[in-house]
Every structure is written in C-alpha cells, then in structure tokens.
Amino acid sequence: MAFMEKPPAGKVLLDDTVPLTAAIEASQSLQSHTEYIIRVQRGISVENSWQIAGLSLPLPPKKLIGNMDREFIAERQKGLQNYLNVITTNHILSNCELVKKFLDPNNYSANYTEIALQQVSMFFRSEPKWEVVEPLKDIGWRIRKKYFLMKIKNQPKERLVLSWADLGPDKYLSDKDFQCLIKLLPSCLHPYIYRVTFATANESSALLIRTFNEKGTLKDLIYKAKPKDPFLKKYCNPKKIQGLELQQIKTYGRQILEVLKFLHDKGFPYGHLHASNVMLDGDTCRLLDLENSLLGLPSFYRSYCSQFRKINTLESVDVHCFGHLLYEMTYGRPPDSVPVDSFPPAPSMAVVAVLESTLSCEACKNGMPTVSRLLQMPLFSDVLLTTSEKPQFKIPTKLKEALRIAKECIEKRLIEEQKQIHQHRRLTRAQSHHGSEEERKKRKILARKKSKRSAIENSEEHSAKYSNSNNSAGSGASSPLTSPSSPTPPSTSVEHAPF
C-alpha cells in the first residue's frame, strides 16, 4: 500500500486492549495425541467468541505411559486451563502479539512489521535524506506500532528512531485535522516533552522521527534493561526488583505532573502515561508519544480504567495512570491488582498518600484528584525545578475545537464500555447469587411450601364442590313446590365459605 493511499473501506479498527479470555471446552483423542478445543471470548460479550482447535500447549509436562487415560486427560486439561488463565490475566503477556495470534488468528494474521516497512519505504522515496539502519523488533508493547533505527545520510553517526503506527478505534479527528495536528508536533517545545524531529501522516497511519536515546526510558532505568531489547524480555520477568530513591521519585513525579498540567491546560488529550512513555535525559523526564491520542490508540492501562466508572475523563485517566507509574517507581514493579487494598512499606508516607489517592478502593470508587491537587501534596510541593526552557505549543483555534470534540468522543466510548461492564457485573452477581447453594436450598423450601399449600387448597376446593353438589341434590328432592313470589330458603353451604 502506498504511503499516501487511503485505508480500505470498512476497515475494522480493533481495540487491542480489550481482554481475551480462553476456556478449554473439550478434548478429543486423535491417533497418538489429544487435541483440545478452546473457546476464546473478546471482552464481556458472549456473542463475540469463537473456537480454536488443533492446538498443542507446552504445559503441563507430558506423560509417556498412560497419556490417553481419561483421568490423565482431565487432569492435564485442568493444568492447561490454569496455564491459559495465567497468560490471559498477565497485563504484559496478554497484550503480546504471539498470544493474540494464538488466541485470535483471524484478527492478527497480518505481518505488521512488513506493513510498516512498506509504508516507511514509500515515505523514503519522497524523503531520500533518511536511511533505515535496522528494525527495532518488538521494543514496544503495541502490535500495530513498529520502530526502526534511522540515520541521516550526511550525518551517519547520529542515530534516530522512527515510529510508525496504524489508526486505532478512538480516531475521531477528520483526516485533514489529524494530519495538521500530527505535523504540528515538531513545533511543541517543553522541558518535559521529548522533542519530535519530524512528523507526517496520511489517512491511515502516522510516521514520526525522534533522536535515539542510549539510556532509554524510565522503565528501562527501573528494570535495569537495555532499550533495544524486546519488551517481553525487558519487563516481563525482571531478575532484580528494586524501586528508585525517594529524591528521584519526587523529582521525576513533579516533572511528569508539570507536563500533564501543561497538556490539560492546552486542551490536548493525552491518556497514555506509563513508564515506557517517559524518556530519561540525564535527570530529566520527557514525555513521549503525544501522537497516540491523535491516532486514536487505546491506553496501556485502558483495561484498568474501564473497570471504574469514576475514571471517565482523559484527565482522570492520566491521574490514574500516574498512580501506576508512581507505584512502579516506588516498588520496582507494577501492582498485582487494582484497586490496591494495602501498600507495602514505602520510602515515605507522603508516597503512600499519593498512591492511596490514585489506586485505592476509595479513589477508584469516588474518583481521581486533579493534577493540580497532586502538585500541592507534600511529596511534590517542595520540589524545586530549574529550567530555562520556555514551553511553546501553539494550537490554532479551529484545531483546538476539533481536539475538544475528539476528546469528548473518546470519553464517550470509555463511559459506554464502563456501563456495559457494570451491567455485566450486576448480571453475573445476580446469576451467581441465584445459583448459590444457599439460594437453591431456599428455593427448594419455598417450592415444598407452595406444593403443600396447593395440595391443601385443591383438597378443600374438592370438599367444597362435593358438599355443594350434595346440598343441591337434597333440596331438589324434598322441598315443596313454591310460587315465584315465595322466598328461597338460605343454602346450608354457606358454612363452607372460602377459607
């Protein structure tokens, strides 16, 4: 596809952050092996599910003798299910391209590196001064975003990084406004934003070039990782877990909050804060990937934000993501789950206070503080920042209005997803309660009472009918003839009035 060619009509912009769940439904013996049939579901909708079969999973260990026994197959199926559960609930593993291709081959069959290379090659035809040195394979977590190490032909020693990304499901800008805003990014100057050297876009993707930083990102510092290594290798299973020093936490945190406030004041939607999107330049943090919200890409922490209905603006998303980042800086690893019930010992109680305001059950239930409020908290209020660089980012009024509308659309989709998840939870809880042992006992007791009551009512009704028929027959045989004006004697059946 040529770089300036439009995307195919009716192209599905899939949200790659929607969790996939996998359940082994059945197994069948085929000659010398067992085949497992897996039901995969995207998100909460049962309609959005499919089967995959003919798959072989490496865990748990195989058995040489008796491996076709029914008991062993059932035991192995349970082990394989646990294995799948671990993969699909691990935040990094579940977003891995290999896992997506395994569970959803129809939507992830494309070779995204090849697609990116085609787009980049077309770009270089019109911009011959740039040259690709090598692909930086899988250094990021996004499946549809690829990176290449670059150089300028007349400056061969200087290294740059080119990033190419496809459109996402939250792209609400018109093609014209989208391309104008992407091309505006190199003009953004801020001491805590990593400078964009070059940026261009078409109707289906964007391409940006930045200076390559040998030190890497804040996440590389936390995990003692090499920037060029694949994302999984760097962060999935770190050898040593250690947080940063208190002064680093205070300084980096203050710098990140300052740039978030700058973007919020400008009306520029971000929503993509995490440790890999913060470049380290000496002792200065610089924010990366401002283009993500323009492209409509979902946040790294979207699956967390979609669980809490009070995190319903991009500003509150940024604050919640800052909580995740602060936790990682403090403890050297992400939280096991969110909300966090209790926090491990921290270098200062001031750190815990900020974490509680962004990651605790109360915070997730009642809503996030503003960035301004976080800046006033003791952890950051006494940090002195020394920079002479004056922030500059001029956005024309027309584009500001386009950004405002796009931001509202992004928030609307998030709110709708939160509503669906909330309704699904309520339904699941109701079904679980209805199916509980206690409820089943109650229903059995009520059914017995109803059955007993019904039997008594039927018996009494039958008795009443029998008495009425006897009285009617007796009065018809013995009563004398009377004239029409004579009063009819009252029936004795009144004694059997309804009970």
Side-chain angles (χ1 to χ4, degrees), residues 27 56 58 97 237 268 283 306 321 361 370 399 425 439 467 498:
S27 62
S56 176
E97 184 176 351
N237 190 25
F268 190 94
D283 290 327
S306 60
C321 293
C361 294
T370 62
L399 291 178
R425 273 185 186 155
E439 279 299 302
S467 177

Side-chain angles (χ1 to χ4, degrees), residues 61 185 190 194 200 215 237 380 416 423 430 452 457 473 493:
L185 292 178
H190 191 283
Y194 202 66
T200 189
K215 287 188 176 180
N237 190 25
F380 307 115
E416 184 58 36
Q423 289 172 345
K452 194 174 180 181
E457 287 174 358
S493 66

Side-chain angles (χ1 to χ4, degrees), residues 248-265:
Q248 288 178 305
I249 294 170
K250 289 168 69 73
T251 303
Y252 296 162
R254 177 64 188 259
Q255 291 171 349
I256 292 164
L257 288 173
E258 288 290 347
V259 70
L260 287 178
K261 187 175 185 303
F262 171 78
L263 293 173
H264 292 178
D265 292 344

